[in-house]
Amino acid sequence: HLKTEREKGTYISIDEVKLDYQIFGTTLKKFIEAIPARVGGQVAGYVDPLIERGIERGIEQELKDLRRQFYDSMYVEEEGGGMS
């Protein structure tokens, strides 16, 4: 929706932009949260189930840490007047 409106050159309200980003954020979060299980499924036939689960947990933790760093950097930039 946002891309189409931008291409047309029509005005987009701030509320529409916020909604588009919320939808994108939710979709991205669900996709990212599915990565550990998808990787686990890929290695399932090659490794012991305990190793598979360890791989999944490791990826989950890494993604959690990256998400925290991302949100923390956004907060710092907002405080400093960067992002709004």
Side-chain angles (χ1 to χ4, degrees), residues 17 20 25 37 49 53 81:
V17 172
D20 279 348
R53 186 63 189 132

Side-chain angles (χ1 to χ4, degrees), residues 33-62:
E33 288 176 347
I35 292 172
R38 293 180 70 182
V39 171
Q42 292 292 317
V43 301
Y46 303 101
V47 297
D48 180 89
L50 292 176
I51 293 174
E52 174 190 345
R53 186 63 189 132
I55 291 169
E56 289 178 19
R57 285 188 184 136
I59 294 170
E60 286 170 2
Q61 187 60 50
E62 187 65 28

Side-chain angles (χ1 to χ4, degrees), residues 4 6 8 10 13 19 22 26-27 31 33 37 43-44 54 57-60 64 67 70 75 80 84:
T4 305
R6 190 178 321 139
K8 287 186 206 174
T10 57
S13 74
L19 180 61
Q22 284 177 331
T26 301
T27 303
F31 176 80
E33 288 176 347
V43 301
R57 285 188 184 136
I59 294 170
E60 286 170 2
K64 182 179 177 182
R67 187 173 57 229
F70 177 75
Y75 180 73
S84 54

